[in-house]
Amino acid sequence: MSPKVTTELLKKLRQVMKNPKYVEEPVQAYIVPSGDAHQSEYIAPCDCRRAFVSGFDGSAGTAIVTEQHAAMWTDGRYFLQAAHQMDNNWTLMKMGLKDTPTQEDWLVSVLPEGSKVGVDPFIIPADQWKRMSKALRSSGHDLVPVKENLIDTIWTDCPQRPCKPLITLDLSYTGVSWRDKIIALRSKMAERKVLWFVVTALDEVAWLFNLRGSDVEYNPVFFAYAVIGMNTIRLFIDGDRMMDPAVREHLQLDSTVEPEFKIQVMPYGSILAELQAVGAGLSPKEKVWLSDKASYALTEAIPKVYRYLTPYTPICIAKAVKNPSETEGMRRAHIKDAVALCELFNWLEKEVVPKGTVTEIIAADKAEEFRSQQKDFVELSFATISSTGPNGAIIHYKPVPETNRTLSVNEIYLLDSGAQYKDGTTDVTRTMHFGTPSAYEKECFTYVLKGHIAVSAAIFPNGTKGHLLDSFARSALWDCGLDYLHGTGHGVGSFLNVHEGPCGISYKTFADEPLEAGMIVSDEPGYYEDGSFGIRIENVVLVIPAETKYNFKNRGSLTFEPLTLVPIQTKMIDVNLLTQKECNWVNNYHQKCREVIGAELERQGRHEALRWLIRETEPLIRVL
Amino acid sequence: MSPKVTTELLKKLRQVMKNPKYVEEPVQAYIVPSGDAHQSEYIAPCDCRRAFVSGFDGSAGTAIVTEQHAAMWTDGRYFLQAAHQMDNNWTLMKMGLKDTPTQEDWLVSVLPEGSKVGVDPFIIPADQWKRMSKALRSSGHDLVPVKENLIDTIWTDCPQRPCKPLITLDLSYTGVSWRDKIIALRSKMAERKVLWFVVTALDEVAWLFNLRGSDVEYNPVFFAYAVIGMNTIRLFIDGDRMMDPAVREHLQLDSTVEPEFKIQVMPYGSILAELQAVGAGLSPKEKVWLSDKASYALTEAIPKVYRYLTPYTPICIAKAVKNPSETEGMRRAHIKDAVALCELFNWLEKEVVPKGTVTEIIAADKAEEFRSQQKDFVELSFATISSTGPNGAIIHYKPVPETNRTLSVNEIYLLDSGAQYKDGTTDVTRTMHFGTPSAYEKECFTYVLKGHIAVSAAIFPNGTKGHLLDSFARSALWDCGLDYLHGTGHGVGSFLNVHEGPCGISYKTFADEPLEAGMIVSDEPGYYEDGSFGIRIENVVLVIPAETKYNFKNRGSLTFEPLTLVPIQTKMIDVNLLTQKECNWVNNYHQKCREVIGAELERQGRHEALRWLIRETEPLIRVL
């Protein structure tokens, strides 16, 4: 792909940065964050402002444009992609590398004295505003809210905000009714002595009301806010979606209900005014609970003395611990997903090896086709990463016609894909070779596998935070001087966002919540050689209680159970680099794949894929 | 030991909390932190206010007294000790346990509305003040500075502040002259565009001027502050110590020197006034650099706009990376220390086994006696933890007559001890059994050893923070449901504080600086059974470059080299629980002990200890 030409765009942006029609005073720098007004990771096309202005469309990145410079901060997953997608107007700031300045430090180094730095207050989270504002102020600059989004003013063909129909989820999927979720939320509010709770994250609104949508690709959410009082429920949502009889019944909009469960439906755009009204009506000691990642605009609507901000909301924490209905749904979704992947890999082996006609895009489409044959399939859970050879080293690669490579018997193929089913969300990565891998490729794969097993088989005390497990995934790579520049795992939603807080496995976080039985995370170490290949092995795993010989301080222990049940290509494993324990882990895992997925393939009459599964799950034998 | 009776003391404290002679307005709560005005961990007797008021004299703890309650926060090392030392007036708040409230939350839960919480502004670090003040304010209370220390007003027999003679260290010990350290500091100041740097930590003053003192037991420091300008050096220090000709010559006080290296000596107590004068004389954009752990009083002396606060000072970071002279000194110190311990353990085996007359105190004294025979011995580096049987489970135990147990052939003995030599600081823990350990004791010891080896032999990329290695030390224990409630390692000074920042190995920190070659930390996992025994295996280790097969992104790798060379009791090891790699590590380590310490024992003519060393370093043989 060729980089986006941004010279004209930047010129226009620099003009509006000084145009009194849009800014009270000229701003010398303008920040374009990744997110939308809900701080979503995946965003609707109308919110892809950073991609529009720079060309870089990875899921994480912040652009800052000054009169002289344009700079893009992104993390190790996207260094290559961003470098490919942006033209020479842009400087890439590689986060996580020692010499990369922070946005604040960089701004201070390039701005003339007493500068104003503008940002859309609806897009920037309150905690980021605070940090940035403080740093700038201490160097004599000012962070200022620019009400009109300056990118929108130059984005002439900006798409409409989506407003798609909703799906209602019944108890068999959710395990808990929205009424009971409201009751639990209010009890948390009472504990913390807050009168109001503002739901700003889209997946939290969806989870709370047991509704799903499709306003954002891959994430089954819809544009909405909610404000929950001790006796009131206000849902801010647009369009005629509330006309749907199924939705009306689900939310009991037309029933006689106790007043505290009566949902008031209000226009999406009225949230700021309503929140300002709430803020104006508070008495001393009355508090409003918001995420500290809520937008600066909404946070400012509540006077400071009335705000109760936490990094994780009670909904975020409750949502992370899956109940038995959700866990069973996730299991079912992963079985169906594994069936689709067995079909795909069997098909690939038949097509790639003799014919060589399968491209990355064809493989990705085929994966989607097989998934879509499964019951309750809704959509993909993220853009399929179907990458072969050097494309595999672009960590969040998405094949497009310009980069599309043909799978071959000479290159490693990495497929990171997943789907939304009505009963659960999947996310799985397998790395395979259709010919004969080199000794070096096998060596690297085996180190990654050792890291994957080290996390998956780890036993750790209740109360342990996921970030403490991150180094287990790297130890085998580190021993040989290797590493990977991304975290090891993220929380996974239940028919919700494929990335969700408040837990994960990453050296980059510290404020993650402790892992609890019922939480679901990914385990996905990797190794990437720029220009050559990429390796990643990813399972989604469920946190479960572990049986241990002893029980220090009666704390109890936890471990993981893989929900993903897709064979790990044994051809890629150098079995002599595995310990006996690791070898047993692989064999037990494959035994379980054979039993569980084998039975489902049988049931679905997919006999060829079943034969593939049986072949791919032959036990490893370690020669001592 | 029986707890201190504090009823009368608390009554008096509650009176002065309302006495207008000391407080502008009555305070409803008074905080008594651990530290002194320099936020030292080890403090002089006159600064042991928290111990005086509560009886609990561990190295970490914060007391808060309200009109109704008295509560003490401390960490897992001290749960048992604090419970033993405090009477029923006190509630123990076990930090790190899930249900323990923070100090702020507790205060909010017990105080009447609109309360004032007092604290000595010289004792509380600015960062703690800020956090506490914010939390209290958001709940309608106020944190207020109480100029006169309220404990001092009721402490009638408070000892004098010490003012002992200084030791000058020449280049052969320090490797870098104080002038060159000032030059390096000024260059860091220029980089950050600050005009002044305030040295508040005692070990930073000592390190900067290549001076040592003995005002605080175990830490070779002296009460002083320094304020470094781009052209001025001010040293705030009391007493006639500056009359010593050696010190005058070392600091070139009577020589003709360039004005920017002329040291102005000022009274210790004048720091606040001088700093206020500096603050008053600043122009816009001029900055003063302080640690964010400097006291609130000193921090407030500089108006907020002029402050440049960082968690770690450039001195702290420079001090942590030992230069070749310091590293060689540390090696020498550890060789001498190992000689003393070989003598001790040989002596213990002769005395304990047949006679049973050695108590914990006698053993500790004997350890000190052997150490004091070594060249350049100055003093111990911390209170010797000499503990047998159940006392070993009190993590920072110090034997006193009331608790003194006799070593026997039936109990595990744990000795955590170290010394200050003019060329380096040591800190070593060995756990041994003089009879026949039980299978369970050996099992636990072996898990701890596996953790010790996992850290010591870890290879990790340059730029890795120490906290990412903490879980390696726990993995073997976690597998069996065991754990320990303290960090795994701390930085160690070079003839300076035995605990120093900015690096360490602990799950509790996140803001530690990355490990670098030349840094020195301890590696000390443990396992403790309340009422039964304690196990800890501690070496001091040097961060060194590691040779690896590959070199990802040219980052280079690091590993550790043990400086401590004292045998690990093989009798306590269940060799069948070790991997071959671990077994080799032990054998290689013992081989090195034999070579290096053996040669020194030989040189010192300590033949009996040499025979003990040879016997204790026989290779382990693993039966497959």
Side-chain angles (χ1 to χ4, degrees), chain B residues 233-308:
Chain B
I233 304 173
R234 292 180 200 162
L235 179 60
F236 299 80
I237 186 166
D238 272 351
D240 50 8
R241 307 193 266 203
M242 289 295 132
M243 296 297 105
D244 179 340
V247 172
R248 296 194 73 79
E249 198 194 320
H250 176 82
L251 295 180
Q252 300 187 279
L253 294 183
D254 306 313
S255 320
T256 314
V257 294
E258 308 92 302
E260 68 268 30
F261 294 110
K262 187 80 201 163
I263 297 177
Q264 301 165 256
V265 178
M266 298 180 152
Y268 176 71
S270 68
I271 176 74
L272 183 62
E274 283 296 326
L275 216 50
Q276 282 165 337
V278 164
L282 295 169
S283 316
K285 293 237 144 199
E286 293 185 348
K287 296 271 178 191
V288 178
W289 195 343
L290 291 127
S291 162
D292 67 3
K293 277 154 215 76
S295 69
Y296 175 71
L298 292 193
T299 308
E300 282 293 296
I302 304 299
K304 205 170 168 184
V305 289
Y306 301 126
R307 278 180 224 157
Y308 181 76

Side-chain angles (χ1 to χ4, degrees), chain A residues 443 468 471 483 549-550 555, chain B residues 443 468 471 483 550 555:
Chain A
E443 184 185 359
L468 292 171
S471 299
D483 197 7
K549 189 169 176 188
Y550 307 111
R555 284 193 297 179
Chain B
E443 184 185 357
L468 292 170
S471 299
D483 196 8
Y550 306 112
R555 284 193 299 178

Side-chain angles (χ1 to χ4, degrees), chain B residues 192-207:
Chain B
R192 309 290 184 103
K193 296 180 188 153
V194 303
L195 284 190
W196 299 91
F197 181 82
V198 186
V199 196
T200 53
L202 297 184
D203 62 336
E204 296 191 14
V205 180
W207 179 87

